[in-house]
Amino acid sequence: METKIINPFPDNFLWGSATSAFQCEGAAKEDGKGLSVMDVRKQDPAICNYDVASDHYHHFKEDVALMKECGLKAYRFSFAWARIFPKGNGAINPQGVQFYNELIDELVKADITPIATIYHFEYPQGLIDQYGGWIDRQSIDDYVNYASFLFKTYGDRVKYWLTVNEQDHVVHMPFRLGLKGNDQHENERLGFLANHHMCVAAAKATKACHEIVKDGKIGPAVCFDMLYPASNRPADALACQDAMDIRNYYVLDINVKGEYNGTFKRYLEDRDMMPEIQEGDMEIIKANKPDFIGFNYYASKSVAAYPCDEDHKIGDLVIKLLPAEEPGIYKVVKNENLNATLWGWEIDDIGLECVCRLLWDRYRLPLMITENGFGNKETLPEDKMVKDDDRIDYLTRHLLAVKKAMNVGVEFIGYCTWSFMDIISGHSGFSKRYGLVYVNRDEHDLKDMCRYKKKSFYWYKDTIACNGENIK
Ligand code: BG6
């Protein structure tokens, strides 16, 4: 709704920016780091691997100095699990521990609040080799031991923690779970088993965080695309509701409410995918709610009803990045009202406003946007400043959506742009850039790795300096 009054951003709003370890650190095989599923994945030769990334491991002081210059109040980073525990459990790598000590000290010195993700996609290959990873219950204890080590080691300086990044994506990505088989149904079944173990692990880590970290706050970082019904046909509205339940709400409903929502439960049972829930699991989850909801938002999708027929039956899956269509439930269709990025992600700031309000209404927990950003192809111009006006426009609109959501009562902790400097995109290598800072390398040519501030860097700096007064 349009309002006469629009409240300013609160003074303690955390203006942040984010990265993840495997996408920016590089040094993938240096100083005792073990391998992760990202390091051993089969690579499309057209896309770079993660060996060097943005070489943040060797440039972190310079990167934090840039964050300080930008005026960031918060920086979200992730620990590379296998840099600390090379095999995922057992022996600790002191050089890895030291790296994060130095990074965190540098942030604190620069007056930047660290927001730390415990696990962002790069699961230790060692755990896959030992027992198959997340599909085995041993994974719960190993995650909790690793998380507890982080709380004890860094909890004096890190107060905001994120348990699992985009659990809702990981469980649909066999290679990120270390699954080897090609049977799609079996991979989905195992994905939902892994999902359950992650939920129990996150709840136990939440308990440990509250016990170990003084004033510590912890929450998930899910991915949450807004979903719309493709038309005003009631069947599309119902398909949308179903898709919201089984694609979006399912993880948070377990994390926050301690329950498998009814639609999701029926969906899993229909397909013989219900994971084994052991006695006490749901009680542990219920007793250890997150303190806030972190979520990544990039785009919305529209969904239409997809009735079954002779050739399309309940349980058939068509998986692209995510299940994009499922007979008997929904299919994703193009939204003609929205522009899209070069990768087809439909740009929708109003969708973000809707998501903020839905999450607040459903869970009544403060929100933190852990990622929001615009991926684009970019090259370094002669004057060394990328004029990324599209990104500025995208971020401005999405921040306005946050401001409007707050204006009707949604509570926010902060907002992180994705990403601070250019990083390796999850699926498109270095050809899809997100940063406020340009990193001078290409897909395969490492060049000199110099950092150059983009136009959006200066825009964000101004925005932070005036506490978002320019967001209109
Ligand atoms: C989120 C991830 O899925 O989206 C990030 O948490 C990722 O790791 C980001 O980079 C953007 O996706 P992509 O595929 O464009 O890198």
Side-chain angles (χ1 to χ4, degrees):
M1 94 184 150
E2 293 181 51
T3 60
K4 281 200 225 162
I5 302 169
I6 177 140
N7 292 329
F9 286 93
D11 287 341
N12 59 355
F13 189 74
L14 286 182
W15 296 94
S17 197
T19 61
S20 86
F22 79 94
Q23 292 175 281
C24 78
E25 282 179 9
K29 289 159 197 154
E30 266 179 60
D31 289 350
K33 178 178 166 295
L35 296 178
S36 79
V37 290
M38 305 310 295
D39 299 316
V40 303
R41 70 177 287 199
K42 271 207 206 97
Q43 197 68 30
D44 170 353
I47 292 180
C48 61
N49 63 27
Y50 299 99
D51 286 359
V52 181
S54 320
D55 205 22
H56 175 65
Y57 189 78
H58 297 112
H59 287 72
F60 76 92
K61 288 198 175 160
E62 182 187 347
D63 291 336
V64 174
L66 283 164
M67 291 172 203
K68 184 174 178 186
E69 182 185 338
C70 191
L72 290 196
K73 304 279 187 232
Y75 172 54
R76 175 190 175 210
F77 66 96
S78 74
F79 292 97
W81 186 336
R83 196 179 289 292
I84 295 188
F85 287 93
K87 297 237 171 318
N89 54 11
I92 288 168
N93 172 31
Q95 285 164 290
V97 176
Q98 181 58 13
F99 170 68
Y100 294 109
N101 263 321
E102 289 179 24
L103 171 64
I104 292 164
D105 284 346
E106 207 65 16
L107 290 168
V108 172
K109 229 173 24 184
D111 223 5
I112 297 170
T113 301
I115 300 171
T117 314
I118 296 168
Y119 157 55
H120 190 129
F121 297 159
E122 36 64 72
Y123 196 70
Q125 183 59 30
L127 299 182
I128 308 282
D129 297 341
Q130 287 172 54
Y131 52 75
W134 281 117
I135 56 174
D136 190 290
R137 272 190 85 94
Q138 175 62 37
S139 61
I140 300 174
D141 286 348
D142 283 334
Y143 174 88
V144 178
N145 285 338
Y146 158 58
S148 301
F149 175 81
L150 299 182
F151 301 147
K152 284 180 200 144
T153 312
Y154 307 108
D156 56 334
R157 290 151 290 162
V158 179
K159 301 299 174 186
Y160 286 105
W161 295 86
L162 298 163
T163 49
V164 180
N165 181 71
E166 293 194 350
Q167 182 172 326
D168 38 347
H169 267 204
V170 182
V171 301
H172 295 297
M173 293 188 185
F175 86 88
R176 286 187 182 166
L177 292 174
L179 303 182
K180 300 200 171 68
N182 290 323
D183 179 330
Q184 221 175 40
H185 179 273
E186 181 60 1
N187 283 345
E188 280 286 288
R189 188 187 73 76
L190 292 172
F192 288 120
L193 179 62
N195 182 66
H196 184 70
H197 295 158
M198 285 183 209
C199 288
V200 178
K204 289 188 165 185
T206 299
K207 182 170 190 285
C209 178
H210 290 151
E211 286 166 0
I212 300 168
V213 182
K214 188 170 173 291
D215 301 327
K217 299 223 178 302
I218 184 161
V222 293
C223 175
F224 208 104
D225 293 339
M226 181 60 198
L227 299 180
Y228 299 120
S231 75
N232 59 6
R233 286 191 315 142
D236 288 348
L238 192 59
C240 181
Q241 221 169 311
D242 287 339
M244 285 293 263
D245 283 351
I246 62 169
R247 292 288 158 236
N248 279 343
Y249 289 131
Y250 73 105
V251 173
L252 290 175
D253 281 353
I254 302 173
N255 289 162
V256 183
K257 298 177 162 192
E259 65 187 36
Y260 279 62
N261 72 53
T263 325
F264 182 49
K265 197 158 171 267
R266 173 59 58 232
Y267 170 86
L268 294 173
E269 285 166 349
D270 258 7
R271 289 159 180 76
D272 292 325
M273 290 182 186
M274 192 69 195
E276 189 201 345
I277 300 177
Q278 288 193 3
E279 212 185 313
D281 283 357
M282 299 318 287
E283 287 69 23
I284 289 172
I285 294 172
K286 264 201 184 102
N288 295 287
K289 265 175 61 158
D291 300 301
F292 61 88
I293 292 176
F295 69 102
N296 302 341
Y297 179 87
Y298 289 89
S300 64
K301 291 193 178 83
S302 299
V303 299
Y306 183 7
C308 288
D309 59 28
E310 269 304 294
D311 302 322
H312 305 95
K313 304 209 169 56
I314 291 177
D316 291 353
L317 286 172
V318 180
I319 298 190
K320 294 179 187 149
L321 170 57
L322 279 179
E325 43 193 62
E326 296 203 38
I329 318 177
Y330 71 94
K331 64 166 78 171
V332 173
V333 296
K334 188 172 169 4
N335 186 338
E336 301 296 342
N337 301 299
L338 297 172
N339 294 324
T341 68
L342 294 174
W343 287 266
W345 295 19
E346 290 174 351
I347 301 169
D348 182 14
D349 43 294
I350 291 180
L352 174 58
E353 196 177 334
C354 297
V355 169
C356 296
R357 290 171 57 166
L358 288 174
L359 291 177
W360 175 249
D361 287 347
R362 194 168 175 116
Y363 304 112
R364 272 294 185 274
L365 286 175
L367 306 182
M368 180 192 284
I369 295 188
T370 38
E371 290 178 28
N372 176 233
F374 179 76
N376 209 358
K377 286 190 198 285
E378 286 162 344
T379 49
L380 194 63
E382 280 219 335
D383 68 358
K384 309 271 195 265
M385 188 170 79
V386 175
K387 318 288 183 302
D388 51 345
D389 291 294
D390 287 351
R391 178 167 297 111
I392 295 173
D393 182 58
Y394 177 100
L395 296 174
T396 306
R397 285 166 182 275
H398 286 75
L399 273 165
L400 183 58
V402 171
K403 199 172 184 179
K404 285 181 166 176
M406 284 198 285
N407 201 41
V408 294
V410 180
E411 277 181 29
F412 262 92
I413 295 172
Y415 166 94
C416 294
T417 70
W418 183 260
S419 50
F420 182 67
M421 63 275 190
D422 291 335
I423 42 85
I424 300 185
S425 140
H427 303 276
S428 314
F430 238 90
S431 309
K432 187 181 190 185
R433 292 175 185 263
Y434 281 95
L436 307 173
V437 174
Y438 187 91
V439 174
N440 194 29
R441 66 161 284 184
D442 284 344
E443 207 59 58
H444 294 295
D445 181 353
L446 295 178
K447 298 193 174 168
D448 56 14
M449 289 286 173
C450 276
R451 274 64 173 147
Y452 295 102
K453 291 164 252 177
K454 300 184 192 175
K455 193 172 169 186
S456 57
F457 176 98
Y458 295 101
W459 164 84
Y460 202 40
K461 181 178 177 181
D462 290 346
T463 300
I464 298 172
C466 68
N467 202 32
E469 253 179 49
N470 59 342
I471 302 298
K472 297 182 175 127

